[in-house]
Amino acid sequence: MADTMDVERPGSPRGLKRKADDSRPLPQAPKRIKPLDQDVVNKIAAGEIIVAPMHALKELIENAVDAGSTSLEIVVKDGGLKLLQITDNGHGINKDDLPILCERFTTSKLKAFEDLTSIGTYGFRGEALASISHIAHLTVTTKTADSSCAWRAHYSDGKLAPAKPGQSADPKPIAGRGGTQITVEDLFYNIKQRQKAFKSHSEEYSKILDVVGRHAVHCQGVAFSCKKHGDSAMGISVPSNATTVDRIRQIYGTAVANELINFEIRDDRLGFKASGLTSNANYHVKKTTILLFINNRSVESSAIKQAIQRIYSAFLPKGGHPFLYLSLEIEPQRVDVNVHPTKREVNFLNEDEIIEAITGTIGTELSKVDTSRTFMTQSLLPGTKVPTISTPATSSRTLQASSSTPRLRNESSLVRTDPSSRKITSMLPPSATKSASTSSSHLDPVYTHNPTREAVNCRLTTVKELRAIVRANMHVGLTEVFATHTYVGLVDSFRRIVAIQSGVKLYLIDYGMVSCEYFYQVGLTDFANFGIIAFDPPLDLEALIRSAAEIERQKPFKTQTQSGEDDIPWETVPCTVTAQLVQRREMLSEYFCLDISEDRKLLGIPLLVKGYMPSLAKLPRFLLRLGPYVDWMNEQRCFQTFLGELASFYAPEQLPNTDRPSKGKGKSAEGDSAARDLGEGAVQGAKDVPDDSEELAHRREQLERMLEHVLFPAFRARLVATKDMLQGVVEVADLKGLYKVFERC
């Protein structure tokens, strides 16, 4: 036994790897790339377009409506897997077109790729019938108005096929009525895995009814009927002359039809028109129902759904969800319909602005009718006692006797989430706020917005790279704080600090830093699509820059010998910067909406946020800094530095606090310290206003109103908080932590 064992001998090498076995097989050569068989390609494409019977029916309904049908009859068997038949009374199909009817990319609705920019029909790719013919047995019976008889054709794998073996595959004449009947049998018969995935025929039938119901609500003047094969009762039956409300009543019930609000909105600048019906505060269900049609195409949009749910959260009880039918018509050149295999999603320009306009209109309509509520009541059963209201003297004893186990609440977890609830500012004397508001009517800035500029789709690589840099630098936790925050109030207008609440925590925010980042992101998102603040009469560009140069030259807190400003030719700076801007005026107007005339007049500046006017006291310095601080030689750096200067100009100005000393050493010490901490340009707007003036009080009131009602709602809607913003956010209180402190005290 010992002779057969491997015994380590002294002096033998240790730690050496054994050599590989010579009989080890050599690595195989890489597999060659070969094109797939066309039949495999067609089946893969069919599986992407026709995922379930409901998708096949959706394509057939869209084709029938495109054909001008006024009546659609649908018959379903085994959830559409065994039989799916749709009959319409449309224009029909010419006999000469039947041989190529089920070939891929054969269509009468599209000729060139450019036609996609103005497509007005449901279908355009010519893949629906081709896809169905590769995964089912397809039969088409059609008759046009000028045909003496109907024609029936059978298809398999995109080509004409005989009805029975040995027969001819050519279309056969039969008796029939005008229109088209398409019969789909044995769906997914050659894809067994897909067929086995459908476990419940009733579930697939309910999905089919949902598709039919959505189109029945939207397609005015078209009659719809849908039933199971062999049943006499209709699952859906809508006459052609029914109104939209009647269609909703027949499909979704009387409860929702009686609580609908009509709304309409139109915006020529954004190029859209929206109309629809939405439920009021008296109706709510456990699941949100949204019938969304964009350019008559049934689609889905998570952004619209979330926005609608946010609006209704202020009107419906917790757990309640609304009903919405929305028909959105957007100019075809602003919509990209070819982004999803089943055409379930579309992309369009100015999505955030359009959604905000629609939700704002719905919120306004809801607030108009939210004057009364309807509650369900229940009759008392026989023999029960009528409840009585106890008097104040006995109410406490009755409460103690009736509730032996009182309900405990964890106060440390209670959060105020309604921004319209009472705040600290509502406890101030009404005289102070009243006087400030009465003096603001004649001091509000007046500007004009130019709606004639057409929106463009920015496809510049440099802009996309800058957007990617912002997304890569995103801080998820801080973004969530801003997305769910509640504005508390202004803390310090000189240091630009406000307080916000998110969850059970209180934060102090440097709104100057946050505003700069927000306006920079708006500049990237809406690049070349800004509004215009027009000046009437135009301003002298060189005079504005010269005034800013004089202020920069005379700054007392910068040592010129250390910064090298003695070498700056201040006399020629205004002319040089003006010449630079005039030379690049076409680019500035196209990309940034900064309009400058040939005779050196400033016609307008970009408008980043509707309803917000930047401090025009900072305009001269903004124009001056466009010369030396913008890199005009590199495209990406040019866009980045220009938008950075524009964001600094749009950031709210600093205003002296009412309790800050206006004279003496207190002002000098604290003001100089703040100037060093916050930067020279930040305090320029504050220096232009006397401390004890009516203008200062008005500007302070405007600042508070703008922060609460314009900027911070905008931050909550679309700000992507970056990691650099962490230094401008300080957590000052945690509700749970405060309760622990109070418990120890």
Side-chain angles (χ1 to χ4, degrees), residues 276-295:
L277 296 166
T278 186
S279 58
N280 59 23
N282 291 329
Y283 177 84
H284 58 88
V285 289
K286 296 182 179 180
K287 184 179 179 181
T288 302
T289 302
I290 296 181
L291 312 183
L292 175 60
F293 287 82
I294 298 181
N295 289 358

Side-chain angles (χ1 to χ4, degrees), residues 134-180:
H134 282 90
I135 56 178
H137 299 127
L138 181 65
T139 304
V140 178
T141 304
T142 183
K143 180 180 182 300
T144 58
D146 56 353
S147 177
S148 59
C149 63
W151 297 89
R152 175 171 293 173
H154 301 269
Y155 295 89
S156 177
D157 296 332
K159 300 178 181 179
L160 286 171
K164 295 181 181 180
Q167 296 182 355
S168 173
D170 295 335
K172 296 178 177 55
I174 62 171
R177 63 183 185 179
T180 303

Side-chain angles (χ1 to χ4, degrees), residues 101-123:
L101 176 65
C102 290
E103 292 184 6
R104 293 188 67 191
F105 308 117
T106 55
T107 178
S108 61
K109 306 160 188 175
L110 195 67
K111 294 183 179 179
F113 180 77
E114 290 74 14
D115 295 341
L116 279 175
T117 60
S118 59
I119 195 73
T121 57
Y122 290 99

Side-chain angles (χ1 to χ4, degrees), residues 686-699:
K687 290 185 176 182
D688 296 338
V689 184
D691 286 349
D692 300 326
S693 65
E694 182 180 355
E695 175 69 12
L696 176 60
H698 171 66
R699 286 168 70 168

Side-chain angles (χ1 to χ4, degrees), residues 494-496 510 654 672-683:
F494 185 76
R495 298 184 181 275
R496 297 192 294 187
D510 182 353
Q654 284 182 289
D672 291 346
S673 174
R676 288 191 297 270
D677 295 339
L678 299 174
E680 304 162 6
V683 298

Side-chain angles (χ1 to χ4, degrees), residues 548-555 565 570 621 624 680 684:
E550 290 297 328
I551 296 176
E552 292 291 324
R553 185 178 183 180
Q554 300 173 3
K555 282 186 177 178
E565 291 189 356
W570 289 103
R621 190 172 191 274
L624 174 64
E680 304 162 6
Q684 180 181 355

